[in-house]
Amino acid sequence: MGGRGVSEKTPRKYDPIAVSSESTVVAEYIPDAAASSSYQSEADLERELVRLLQSQAYEYLPITSEAQLVANVRSQLEALNAMIFSDAEWKQFFSERIAGANDGILEKTVRIQEDHVQLLKRDDGSIKNVTLIDKKNIHNNRLQVINQYVIGAGEGGSARSNRYDVTVLVNGLPTVHIELKRRGVDIREAFNQIDRYQRDSFWAGSGLFEYVQLFVISNGTLTKYYSNTTRLQHMSEAAGSNRVRKTSNSFEFTSWWADAQNKPITDLSAFAMTFFAKHALLNILTKYCVLTADRMLLVMRPYQIVATERILQRVDISTNYKTLGSVAAGGYVWHTTGSGKTLTSFKAAQLASRVASVDKVLFVVDRKDLDYQTMREYDRFEKGAANSNTSTAVLKKQLEDPNGRIIITTIQKLSTFIGANKGHAIYDGHVVIIFDECHRSQFGDMHTAITKAFKRYNLFGFTGTPIFASNAGSGGNPQLKTTEQAFGEKLHTYTIVDAITDKNVLPFRIDYVNTIKVGSPDDSQVSAIDKESVLLDPRRISDIVKYTREHFDQKTKRADHYTLGERRVRGFNALFATASIGAARTYYNHFQLQQEGLPSDQRLKIGLIYSYGANEAVEDGALNEEGFDTGSLTMDARTFLDDAIQDYNELYGTSFDTTAERFQNYYKDLSLKLKSREIDLVIVVNMFLTGFDATTMNTLFVDKNLRAHGLIQAYSRTNRILNSVKTYGNIVSFRDLEDETNDAIALFGNKDARGVVLLKPYGEYYNDYADKVTELLNDFPLGGPIVGETAKKQFIQLFGTILRLRNILASFDEFDGSALLTDRQGQDYRSVYLDLYAEFRKNKGADKEQINDDVVFEIELIKQVEINVDYILMLVQKYRDERGDGDNKEIRAEITRAVDASPTLRNKKDLIEDFVDSLSVDGEIDQEWRAFIAARREAELGTIITDEKLRPDETRVFIEAAFRDGQIRTSGTAITKVLPPVSRFSADGGHGEKKQRVVRLLEAFFDRFFGLSSKNGEWKV
């Protein structure tokens, strides 16, 4: 059977706490090996689906008319409620409580989601509660399946005749509708067909099909699900209706079902065995749908459901095993930024508050997240729950109110309460504390205060960017450095790669714009010259502002229109992230200067916001939170901010300033203007770079050092899905953040993440590539010398760009056979390129130059993306797989070409070729590679130690530190400890010359082996 959680042949070990037979999402789905290869018609597909549902205890109902459908609703509700309707009672109940003349999809959805107990006035005058769907004991509900149900043209006047594929009835009411297309047909056709039903006939007759909560569309191979309001919104927008709040929901908002490992379950048979398992479907309908304040029905995605259930299981287990009040009672959920953490965490809070043993659930958010929209949502979920933002006194009252099961509070209020209320009774209660964002602000005194005050707690955290040992800072409490130390073990993971693969967030497109011309292809000099005098040079700032203005329409797609709410808007908006308050002010001034004299319709609407807080990212890469503390700003900085807010007031007719209350209101108004696309660009230091969601934002301009948490958080402001116009999050970086970007994606995605996360459409890459290749062949024909430094620089820049584009294009199917350069031409050009690259590096030396006078605004495309070791190992695997009995020279040549194409692998060429020659027939490539490199490293280091008579132990310690730190440290005393004792009789004992030679040898050794280490970056001698 395809839906089993574990294969009988492959015994797998699972933690019993995390997996239960009643889990809504299967732990792991292993598909059947024997898949049918014969043609399957739509009718065959439908028959197979109905058969599978019947095998899972769905009753098949052969009904063809609405009269039969209504009679079945009656008998099902009678069975569920253990009662019999008289004819008069049924007529009244059906017309008033089920199929009211004025009821539409919205009213019927509210009935299923919230008002599922309806009142019946009986013939004898008594009142009886009639349950439409049992949410407490879900297996009391009865599931039936019908197919080929026809709504005739005579039923409902203007209704067209439609034949529906397969519908699941819950207690007789159509609740899930499945529309099928034969294999090979685009499932969008099924989506569009449901739209036609909505327009033509779902409302016909008694309108029972408006009870459908979820839709499933499938062509057998691909299957997706979505909620009724996704369809309703889509239809309303297409028709231009003003009745429903428009959100541009469309096919983009359909979801894949998956197992707990986030592996999509796309085949219809597999989907039927998992999604349509009785307990799974009933859990989704009764627990994992959310009706928002705007009456939008959201259905949770599988990873959200898994995380919620694992939290509830942990509460249950820790209560039974008496581990409350310990790290073992909690845990954290790593769901990437933009994947709907707030919905998941609130649903977990809501369901935890219904657990009998739990006295209170505290849902803890950051103060700045409590904007108006969020408050409305929280308050709708749980009336009065969000009031605690007004004062600590309200929080105290709520904690003492036995009826208030769930409380939303801010980190700041909870901290104040704990400080002011020693020994409060609430500390002895069973309290579940859920942090919406468990970033670093919870790791310090706040965390200690909570765990000291509360005695019987479960502590859970949600984060998109966990702190692991590899990216933890060195300061603070050593017991509270990582997310796991603070919150307990990881309960579920859904990375940025999962989210982009599932199309729940968009990929990023990154432009690195080089703003400091250094006359060398080696960009290490650019990052070395990180001085305010260069980075804040007025010419550089002016050029960046000019570039931003000139490219703003292109980056934010101002040529494209779409509907937002009731308005038709053009394109998207952007943030501009700066490194300091001083930089933010300088940029604001330059934008004002360059826009002076322009007509108002050509000016960008620009906002500025900052407050007191550390400027740069802190040690572990997180961005320091900026509070609303304008009082700590220097007089100069505060006056400037007041002036900028005055500009904003004049633009929008508001009256904000930097005094406490008004500044908070300015923040809220600015955030609403961003979300509603009423402002073009906001210049920030740290504000809005974490935790802020505006689906209308698609671009981030960056002139700021970012890494790890801060980088992913900042980039993720741009990649929220809105509509089909918004295809990716745009990052325009005026600093060389490529390594930091790759490291962050590897840390919070996986080592193969780059191709998924950083993307733009094929055509854009290919057109650019074709132009560049034409220019290369015309300007630099092979065989001719490249004369003069200017020409050499042009060649290096041009061919570097071609290498990058070609490497990216190689991942597209369309590129096959379209390379334009032959393999031999590619190899020859690479040789010339790398020879010149080595020549330039040698001539430039390592000394920093004073380059203020050479600041030229030069737009570069993304730098050459290096071929990495993983790619080479993939080719090696391919080489071994395809070699068979002979020697596959083609793949062997491909390996050589790949190494030749990579500046960082060129000096490792002999290692890679020797490794290929040393391969065993069937060993594990990764393990063999690590063993091979470790042996060669040790041998080559041993040779250097012997030849130079170095101190062996000290040399190994020195090299280990270099690989740990990512660089050879030539200053300080560490290097001198490596050198042998020197003669006291020579002037310096030859010490200076010897030291230089050893440094050169060790640097060459380091360059040769750095980056060839094991996957987790360890390097052990």
Side-chain angles (χ1 to χ4, degrees):
M1 190 175 92
R4 61 187 179 271
V6 182
S7 162
E8 290 83 24
K9 293 177 186 170
T10 318
R12 291 169 188 265
K13 209 171 159 195
Y14 287 117
D15 178 352
I17 292 172
V19 180
S20 125
S21 61
E22 288 295 288
S23 292
T24 305
V25 177
V26 293
E28 182 175 15
Y29 183 78
I30 298 165
D32 283 334
S36 171
S37 57
S38 61
Y39 175 83
Q40 189 178 36
S41 69
E42 190 177 313
D44 293 337
L45 191 68
E46 185 176 304
R47 272 192 291 275
E48 174 65 7
L49 174 62
V50 171
R51 185 191 68 74
L52 280 171
L53 293 178
Q54 284 181 276
S55 74
Q56 296 181 108
Y58 285 64
E59 178 196 354
Y60 179 71
L61 210 58
I63 63 174
T64 54
S65 70
E66 186 177 62
Q68 290 172 304
L69 189 64
V70 172
N72 180 59
V73 174
R74 177 175 177 173
S75 62
Q76 293 297 310
L77 290 179
E78 286 176 339
L80 178 67
N81 291 279
M83 60 167 289
I84 300 291
F85 290 102
S86 72
D87 289 347
E89 286 170 349
W90 174 247
K91 186 177 177 186
Q92 180 209 2
F93 186 79
F94 185 76
S95 62
E96 290 178 11
R97 303 290 181 173
I98 291 179
N102 297 318
D103 291 350
I105 290 173
L106 188 62
E107 291 75 16
K108 289 166 184 169
T109 297
V110 169
R111 210 166 277 150
I112 292 288
Q113 295 302 326
E114 294 180 347
D115 300 335
H116 52 284
V117 178
Q118 293 285 322
L119 299 179
L120 164 70
K121 189 173 182 186
R122 306 218 66 162
D123 292 340
D124 63 6
S126 64
I127 301 294
K128 175 166 176 60
N129 287 339
V130 176
T131 300
L132 302 182
I133 184 166
D134 190 334
K135 296 198 173 187
K136 285 203 173 111
N137 303 298
I138 59 167
H139 288 289
N140 288 343
N141 300 295
R142 296 175 184 215
L143 299 180
Q144 297 167 303
V145 57
I146 63 174
N147 71 321
Q148 294 300 308
Y149 180 83
V150 177
I151 286 219
E155 298 184 51
S158 60
R160 295 185 190 173
S161 178
N162 279 314
R163 186 185 293 271
Y164 303 151
D165 286 348
V166 180
T167 308
V168 170
L169 313 178
V170 178
N171 305 326
L173 293 170
T175 313
V176 184
H177 179 70
I178 305 135
E179 194 60 32
L180 302 172
K181 294 292 171 192
R182 64 180 166 76
R183 291 182 191 272
V185 175
D186 190 338
I187 61 169
R188 282 171 190 263
E189 288 201 19
F191 182 85
N192 294 335
Q193 187 146 335
I194 287 169
D195 282 347
R196 288 195 290 279
Y197 293 162
Q198 148 68 11
R199 183 175 62 242
D200 295 344
S201 61
F202 272 156
W203 47 267
S206 304
L208 287 180
F209 273 80
E210 291 186 317
Y211 273 101
V212 171
Q213 302 293 284
L214 304 178
F215 289 93
V216 173
I217 50 177
S218 180
N219 61 7
T221 311
L222 299 177
T223 309
K224 299 190 87 174
Y225 72 105
Y226 57 100
S227 66
N228 64 14
T229 44
T230 294
R231 170 181 47 83
L232 182 62
Q233 303 303 88
H234 184 63
M235 282 307 302
S236 300
E237 282 168 26
S241 159
N242 287 329
R243 284 179 53 240
V244 182
R245 185 177 71 90
K246 301 188 184 87
T247 60
S248 298
N249 281 352
S250 58
F251 185 77
E252 280 76 19
F253 281 74
T254 58
S255 296
W256 300 108
W257 188 241
D259 65 14
Q261 322 285 323
N262 307 319
K263 187 176 162 195
I265 298 172
T266 59
D267 183 81
L268 182 61
S269 300
F271 188 94
M273 291 171 176
T274 52
F275 184 90
F276 281 114
K278 283 182 82 169
H279 73 275
L281 181 66
L282 289 168
N283 273 340
I284 293 164
L285 287 169
T286 59
K287 288 183 190 166
Y288 300 119
C289 286
V290 176
L291 197 57
T292 69
D294 293 308
R295 311 326 260 163
M296 293 272 294
L297 185 69
L298 306 177
V299 55
M300 291 173 75
R301 295 170 173 142
Y303 60 89
Q304 296 175 308
I305 295 170
V306 177
T308 304
E309 292 192 338
R310 290 195 176 163
I311 284 174
L312 296 173
Q313 286 162 3
R314 185 56 56 95
V315 170
D316 206 22
I317 296 281
S318 60
T319 307
N320 294 338
Y321 284 81
K322 299 188 167 44
T323 57
L324 292 174
S326 70
V327 174
Y332 76 94
V333 172
W334 170 14
H335 282 183
T336 191
T337 308
S339 61
K341 283 194 302 298
T342 301
L343 173 65
T344 315
S345 53
F346 196 89
K347 179 54 85 168
Q350 192 183 44
L351 294 175
S353 72
R354 297 174 191 166
V355 174
S357 68
V358 173
D359 297 305
K360 292 275 186 234
V361 176
L362 290 179
F363 188 55
V364 186
V365 297
D366 203 295
R367 172 175 53 199
K368 65 177 172 44
D369 293 334
L370 280 174
D371 63 16
Y372 171 69
Q373 179 61 31
T374 322
M375 292 290 296
R376 278 180 69 218
E377 289 300 337
Y378 293 158
D379 220 41
R380 206 210 60 69
F381 278 128
E382 201 81 21
K383 280 280 175 268
N387 283 345
S388 59
N389 76 316
T390 53
S391 74
T392 311
V394 175
L395 173 60
K396 185 169 185 287
K397 186 165 156 245
Q398 286 181 306
L399 286 167
E400 291 164 358
D401 176 6
N403 297 317
R405 297 296 301 277
I406 180 168
I407 297 163
I408 291 122
T409 186
T410 63
I411 295 159
Q412 296 81 2
K413 290 286 181 300
L414 184 57
S415 195
T416 308
F417 171 83
I418 290 171
N421 293 274
K422 307 285 185 207
H424 193 281
I426 191 64
Y427 301 143
D428 295 317
H430 182 178
V431 180
V432 176
I433 305 169
I434 297 178
F435 284 92
D436 185 33
E437 264 293 351
C438 64
H439 43 63
R440 60 187 305 281
S441 57
Q442 279 85 67
F443 282 23
D445 301 338
M446 177 70 199
H447 185 279
T448 310
I450 289 173
T451 53
K452 274 189 177 168
F454 290 91
K455 308 288 187 295
R456 298 173 62 241
Y457 61 80
N458 301 94
L459 197 63
F460 298 107
F462 282 76
T463 181
T465 48
I467 296 173
F468 307 113
S470 59
N471 63 313
S474 57
N477 181 348
Q479 301 305 311
L480 285 177
K481 294 179 75 61
T482 67
T483 306
E484 185 155 336
Q485 283 177 318
F487 286 91
E489 69 176 301
K490 183 174 66 194
L491 300 178
H492 193 246
T493 303
Y494 185 77
T495 68
I496 190 166
V497 180
D498 295 322
I500 290 172
T501 304
D502 291 346
K503 295 187 166 53
N504 287 330
V505 297
L506 300 168
F508 299 115
R509 175 188 163 186
I510 305 182
D511 288 317
Y512 296 103
V513 175
N514 184 12
T515 58
I516 302 174
K517 186 175 181 182
V518 291
S520 165
D522 179 11
D523 274 0
S524 65
Q525 279 182 285
V526 177
S527 54
I529 306 167
D530 188 5
K531 296 176 181 172
E532 287 297 304
S533 62
V534 174
L535 297 172
L536 288 179
D537 185 293
R539 288 166 295 175
R540 177 177 179 272
I541 300 286
S542 179
D543 280 339
I544 289 175
V545 169
K546 182 167 179 278
Y547 170 80
T548 303
R549 288 181 50 248
E550 285 174 355
H551 291 80
F552 192 83
D553 285 5
Q554 172 209 344
K555 300 293 182 196
T556 59
K557 296 195 169 191
R558 288 305 162 96
D560 293 308
H561 288 77
Y562 61 93
T563 303
L564 184 72
E566 300 299 321
R567 296 181 303 127
R568 190 92 174 132
V569 296
R570 271 194 322 131
F572 307 103
N573 47 17
L575 286 179
F576 198 116
T578 63
S580 63
I581 287 171
R585 291 167 57 184
T586 306
Y587 271 112
Y588 188 80
N589 272 339
H590 276 271
F591 273 107
Q592 297 295 90
L593 281 168
Q594 290 191 23
Q595 297 202 121
E596 257 178 11
L598 288 178
S600 60
D601 63 327
Q602 288 178 31
R603 279 187 222 162
L604 294 178
K605 292 178 180 172
I606 293 174
L608 170 71
I609 191 164
Y610 54 75
S611 69
Y612 186 71
N615 289 327
E616 284 294 350
V618 292
E619 186 179 25
D620 58 19
L623 290 166
N624 250 341
E625 299 293 321
E626 282 184 74
F628 295 108
D629 181 13
T630 48
S632 301
L633 291 171
T634 64
M635 182 63 75
D636 201 22
R638 183 161 179 178
T639 304
F640 190 95
L641 185 57
D642 262 321
D643 290 344
I645 294 175
Q646 189 49 43
D647 292 342
Y648 181 92
N649 290 337
E650 287 170 16
L651 194 59
Y652 294 106
T654 50
S655 55
F656 304 117
D657 57 41
T658 59
T659 55
E661 186 82 11
R662 285 187 175 186
F663 182 68
Q664 286 197 43
N665 289 334
Y666 170 61
Y667 173 92
K668 285 179 185 172
D669 194 71
L670 192 57
S671 75
L672 287 170
K673 292 276 192 296
L674 275 167
K675 290 179 182 189
S676 58
R677 241 295 281 124
E678 292 176 66
I679 193 165
D680 297 317
L681 180 73
V682 177
I683 299 168
V684 300
V685 181
N686 285 349
M687 276 187 168
F688 291 125
L689 293 184
T690 60
F692 173 74
D693 288 344
T695 54
T696 57
M697 193 186 300
N698 84 324
T699 302
L700 174 72
F701 296 95
V702 185
D703 187 20
K704 179 185 186 72
N705 290 337
L706 293 168
R707 69 183 187 88
H709 298 66
L711 183 141
I712 292 289
Q713 289 280 358
Y715 283 14
S716 297
R717 299 313 103 213
T718 66
N719 72 336
R720 299 298 192 273
I721 287 175
L722 175 65
N723 54 26
S724 56
V725 178
K726 185 177 177 183
T727 47
Y728 46 72
N730 245 333
I731 313 297
V732 181
S733 178
F734 300 111
R735 299 195 183 192
D736 182 6
L737 298 178
E738 187 173 12
D739 288 344
E740 288 80 0
T741 299
N742 296 340
D743 290 347
I745 290 168
L747 184 64
F748 299 120
N750 60 42
K751 71 178 178 59
D752 303 316
R754 280 175 68 184
V756 177
V757 178
L758 308 179
L759 203 65
K760 63 180 177 181
Y762 169 80
E764 286 186 46
Y765 288 124
Y766 189 78
N767 294 340
D768 201 1
Y769 172 78
D771 291 345
K772 297 283 187 250
V773 169
T774 305
E775 186 182 341
L776 178 75
L777 292 168
N778 289 340
D779 294 358
F780 302 101
L782 281 167
I786 300 174
V787 182
E789 191 166 319
T790 304
K792 287 176 180 177
K793 286 180 187 176
Q794 285 171 347
F795 173 83
I796 289 166
Q797 185 182 20
L798 178 60
F799 195 68
T801 301
I802 289 168
L803 282 173
R804 171 187 58 81
L805 289 166
R806 194 184 189 291
N807 284 335
I808 295 170
L809 284 164
S811 65
F812 289 89
D813 293 340
E814 301 96 312
F815 189 62
D816 193 25
S818 309
L820 300 178
L821 289 173
T822 67
D823 286 343
R824 178 62 58 84
Q825 283 175 315
Q827 224 169 341
D828 290 345
Y829 273 123
R830 279 184 176 91
S831 241
V832 175
Y833 174 76
L834 292 172
D835 287 343
L836 286 172
Y837 187 70
E839 177 187 322
F840 268 69
R841 290 193 68 168
K842 191 174 67 196
N843 293 344
K844 287 296 173 189
D847 293 335
K848 294 181 187 178
E849 299 172 61
Q850 175 52 260
I851 61 158
N852 280 43
D853 294 335
D854 196 22
V855 176
V856 175
F857 194 78
E858 178 182 316
I859 306 302
E860 282 185 350
L861 293 166
I862 304 168
K863 290 187 312 176
Q864 163 71 13
V865 174
E866 286 286 292
I867 288 176
N868 57 21
V869 173
D870 291 325
Y871 179 72
I872 298 295
L873 293 183
M874 183 267 289
L875 287 180
V876 172
Q877 178 77 54
K878 186 176 166 190
Y879 171 68
R880 188 171 69 182
D881 291 347
E882 295 185 19
R883 188 165 48 164
D885 297 328
D887 197 13
N888 191 321
K889 290 190 172 65
E890 189 183 328
I891 297 178
R892 183 64 188 265
E894 194 179 342
I895 292 168
T896 303
R897 283 199 298 273
V899 173
D900 282 343
S902 169
T904 59
L905 291 183
R906 202 180 197 212
N907 64 345
K908 306 163 177 55
K909 185 173 179 178
D910 63 314
L911 287 171
I912 291 162
E913 290 182 341
D914 290 352
F915 171 65
V916 173
D917 292 338
S918 75
L919 271 181
S920 66
V921 179
D922 55 4
E924 177 67 38
I925 293 273
D926 269 353
Q927 287 172 6
E928 286 197 25
W929 170 252
R930 287 199 289 273
F932 174 84
I933 289 300
R936 285 290 289 266
R937 240 174 359 206
E938 177 54 25
E940 292 189 20
L941 185 61
T943 302
I944 294 171
I945 290 170
T946 305
D947 290 353
E948 296 300 326
K949 300 181 175 58
L950 304 181
R951 293 172 168 152
D953 292 345
E954 286 82 350
T955 305
R956 286 187 167 82
V957 168
F958 178 79
I959 284 292
E960 199 169 327
F963 276 85
R964 186 188 63 234
D965 300 336
Q967 62 180 353
I968 290 274
R969 294 193 183 277
T970 54
S971 56
T973 57
I975 186 69
T976 55
K977 290 178 184 171
V978 165
L979 301 171
V982 291
S983 164
R984 71 178 73 179
F985 297 109
S986 61
D988 68 352
H991 193 274
E993 189 180 316
K994 173 80 171 177
K995 178 180 171 185
Q996 283 181 342
R997 187 171 69 252
V998 169
V999 165
R1000 275 200 306 273
L1001 285 166
L1002 291 179
E1003 280 182 335
F1005 173 83
F1006 175 84
D1007 287 341
R1008 182 165 160 79
F1009 286 101
F1010 188 68
L1012 298 184
S1013 49
S1014 64
K1015 290 180 184 178
N1016 60 6
E1018 291 171 0
W1019 194 91
K1020 294 281 182 247
V1021 179

